[in-house]
PDB file of all heavy atoms in Angstrom:
ATOM      1  N   THR A  27    -142.493 -56.562 103.099  1.00  0.00           N
ATOM      2  CA  THR A  27    -143.380 -55.635 103.820  1.00  0.00           C
ATOM      3  C   THR A  27    -143.410 -54.264 103.164  1.00  0.00           C
ATOM      4  O   THR A  27    -144.481 -53.701 102.905  1.00  0.00           O
ATOM      5  CB  THR A  27    -142.939 -55.497 105.286  1.00  0.00           C
ATOM      6  OG1 THR A  27    -142.944 -56.775 105.916  1.00  0.00           O
ATOM      7  CG2 THR A  27    -143.863 -54.557 106.039  1.00  0.00           C
ATOM      8  N   MET A  28    -142.237 -53.713 102.887  1.00  0.00           N
ATOM      9  CA  MET A  28    -142.155 -52.377 102.306  1.00  0.00           C
ATOM     10  C   MET A  28    -142.742 -52.334 100.906  1.00  0.00           C
ATOM     11  O   MET A  28    -143.473 -51.403 100.552  1.00  0.00           O
ATOM     12  CB  MET A  28    -140.704 -51.905 102.296  1.00  0.00           C
ATOM     13  CG  MET A  28    -140.146 -51.561 103.660  1.00  0.00           C
ATOM     14  SD  MET A  28    -140.997 -50.148 104.418  1.00  0.00           S
ATOM     15  CE  MET A  28    -140.517 -48.825 103.306  1.00  0.00           C
ATOM     16  N   TYR A  29    -142.433 -53.324 100.075  1.00  0.00           N
ATOM     17  CA  TYR A  29    -142.989 -53.355  98.723  1.00  0.00           C
ATOM     18  C   TYR A  29    -144.508 -53.472  98.756  1.00  0.00           C
ATOM     19  O   TYR A  29    -145.209 -52.877  97.934  1.00  0.00           O
ATOM     20  CB  TYR A  29    -142.400 -54.518  97.932  1.00  0.00           C
ATOM     21  CG  TYR A  29    -140.989 -54.279  97.411  1.00  0.00           C
ATOM     22  CD1 TYR A  29    -140.263 -55.302  96.809  1.00  0.00           C
ATOM     23  CD2 TYR A  29    -140.385 -53.031  97.522  1.00  0.00           C
ATOM     24  CE1 TYR A  29    -138.972 -55.090  96.331  1.00  0.00           C
ATOM     25  CE2 TYR A  29    -139.105 -52.813  97.049  1.00  0.00           C
ATOM     26  CZ  TYR A  29    -138.404 -53.843  96.459  1.00  0.00           C
ATOM     27  OH  TYR A  29    -137.142 -53.626  95.986  1.00  0.00           O
ATOM     28  N   SER A  30    -145.020 -54.231  99.699  1.00  0.00           N
ATOM     29  CA  SER A  30    -146.478 -54.378  99.819  1.00  0.00           C
ATOM     30  C   SER A  30    -147.124 -53.058 100.216  1.00  0.00           C
ATOM     31  O   SER A  30    -148.168 -52.663  99.663  1.00  0.00           O
ATOM     32  CB  SER A  30    -146.820 -55.454 100.854  1.00  0.00           C
ATOM     33  OG  SER A  30    -146.315 -56.705 100.468  1.00  0.00           O
ATOM     34  N   ILE A  31    -146.503 -52.344 101.161  1.00  0.00           N
ATOM     35  CA  ILE A  31    -147.035 -51.042 101.591  1.00  0.00           C
ATOM     36  C   ILE A  31    -147.004 -50.041 100.449  1.00  0.00           C
ATOM     37  O   ILE A  31    -147.992 -49.335 100.187  1.00  0.00           O
ATOM     38  CB  ILE A  31    -146.236 -50.516 102.796  1.00  0.00           C
ATOM     39  CG1 ILE A  31    -146.461 -51.399 104.020  1.00  0.00           C
ATOM     40  CG2 ILE A  31    -146.618 -49.070 103.109  1.00  0.00           C
ATOM     41  CD1 ILE A  31    -145.599 -51.032 105.211  1.00  0.00           C
ATOM     42  N   VAL A  32    -145.867 -49.979  99.755  1.00  0.00           N
ATOM     43  CA  VAL A  32    -145.744 -49.050  98.627  1.00  0.00           C
ATOM     44  C   VAL A  32    -146.780 -49.378  97.560  1.00  0.00           C
ATOM     45  O   VAL A  32    -147.402 -48.470  96.985  1.00  0.00           O
ATOM     46  CB  VAL A  32    -144.323 -49.098  98.034  1.00  0.00           C
ATOM     47  CG1 VAL A  32    -144.250 -48.284  96.748  1.00  0.00           C
ATOM     48  CG2 VAL A  32    -143.310 -48.570  99.035  1.00  0.00           C
ATOM     49  N   PHE A  33    -146.971 -50.647  97.289  1.00  0.00           N
ATOM     50  CA  PHE A  33    -147.929 -51.057  96.261  1.00  0.00           C
ATOM     51  C   PHE A  33    -149.354 -50.649  96.636  1.00  0.00           C
ATOM     52  O   PHE A  33    -150.067 -50.049  95.825  1.00  0.00           O
ATOM     53  CB  PHE A  33    -147.866 -52.568  96.042  1.00  0.00           C
ATOM     54  CG  PHE A  33    -148.918 -53.082  95.109  1.00  0.00           C
ATOM     55  CD1 PHE A  33    -148.828 -52.870  93.740  1.00  0.00           C
ATOM     56  CD2 PHE A  33    -150.016 -53.767  95.604  1.00  0.00           C
ATOM     57  CE1 PHE A  33    -149.809 -53.337  92.874  1.00  0.00           C
ATOM     58  CE2 PHE A  33    -151.010 -54.240  94.746  1.00  0.00           C
ATOM     59  CZ  PHE A  33    -150.902 -54.025  93.375  1.00  0.00           C
ATOM     60  N   ILE A  34    -149.772 -50.962  97.856  1.00  0.00           N
ATOM     61  CA  ILE A  34    -151.152 -50.678  98.264  1.00  0.00           C
ATOM     62  C   ILE A  34    -151.415 -49.179  98.320  1.00  0.00           C
ATOM     63  O   ILE A  34    -152.395 -48.681  97.740  1.00  0.00           O
ATOM     64  CB  ILE A  34    -151.440 -51.332  99.634  1.00  0.00           C
ATOM     65  CG1 ILE A  34    -151.387 -52.853  99.519  1.00  0.00           C
ATOM     66  CG2 ILE A  34    -152.808 -50.888 100.160  1.00  0.00           C
ATOM     67  CD1 ILE A  34    -151.464 -53.574 100.843  1.00  0.00           C
ATOM     68  N   VAL A  35    -150.538 -48.432  99.007  1.00  0.00           N
ATOM     69  CA  VAL A  35    -150.731 -46.993  99.148  1.00  0.00           C
ATOM     70  C   VAL A  35    -150.613 -46.296  97.787  1.00  0.00           C
ATOM     71  O   VAL A  35    -151.421 -45.432  97.433  1.00  0.00           O
ATOM     72  CB  VAL A  35    -149.709 -46.400 100.135  1.00  0.00           C
ATOM     73  CG1 VAL A  35    -149.847 -44.879 100.197  1.00  0.00           C
ATOM     74  CG2 VAL A  35    -149.896 -47.001 101.518  1.00  0.00           C
ATOM     75  N   GLY A  36    -149.604 -46.687  97.008  1.00  0.00           N
ATOM     76  CA  GLY A  36    -149.412 -46.067  95.702  1.00  0.00           C
ATOM     77  C   GLY A  36    -150.526 -46.380  94.734  1.00  0.00           C
ATOM     78  O   GLY A  36    -150.932 -45.527  93.943  1.00  0.00           O
ATOM     79  N   LEU A  37    -151.037 -47.604  94.789  1.00  0.00           N
ATOM     80  CA  LEU A  37    -152.135 -47.982  93.899  1.00  0.00           C
ATOM     81  C   LEU A  37    -153.376 -47.150  94.186  1.00  0.00           C
ATOM     82  O   LEU A  37    -154.006 -46.606  93.266  1.00  0.00           O
ATOM     83  CB  LEU A  37    -152.440 -49.471  94.054  1.00  0.00           C
ATOM     84  CG  LEU A  37    -153.512 -50.045  93.127  1.00  0.00           C
ATOM     85  CD1 LEU A  37    -153.014 -50.052  91.690  1.00  0.00           C
ATOM     86  CD2 LEU A  37    -153.885 -51.465  93.561  1.00  0.00           C
ATOM     87  N   ILE A  38    -153.732 -47.025  95.456  1.00  0.00           N
ATOM     88  CA  ILE A  38    -154.919 -46.248  95.833  1.00  0.00           C
ATOM     89  C   ILE A  38    -154.730 -44.781  95.477  1.00  0.00           C
ATOM     90  O   ILE A  38    -155.609 -44.152  94.860  1.00  0.00           O
ATOM     91  CB  ILE A  38    -155.206 -46.405  97.335  1.00  0.00           C
ATOM     92  CG1 ILE A  38    -155.566 -47.856  97.663  1.00  0.00           C
ATOM     93  CG2 ILE A  38    -156.328 -45.463  97.771  1.00  0.00           C
ATOM     94  CD1 ILE A  38    -155.712 -48.137  99.144  1.00  0.00           C
TER      95      ILE A  38
END
Side-chain angles (χ1 to χ4, degrees):
T27 302
M28 288 296 294
Y29 282 172
S30 298
I31 293 174
V32 172
F33 174 74
I34 294 172
V35 176
L37 184 68
I38 295 173

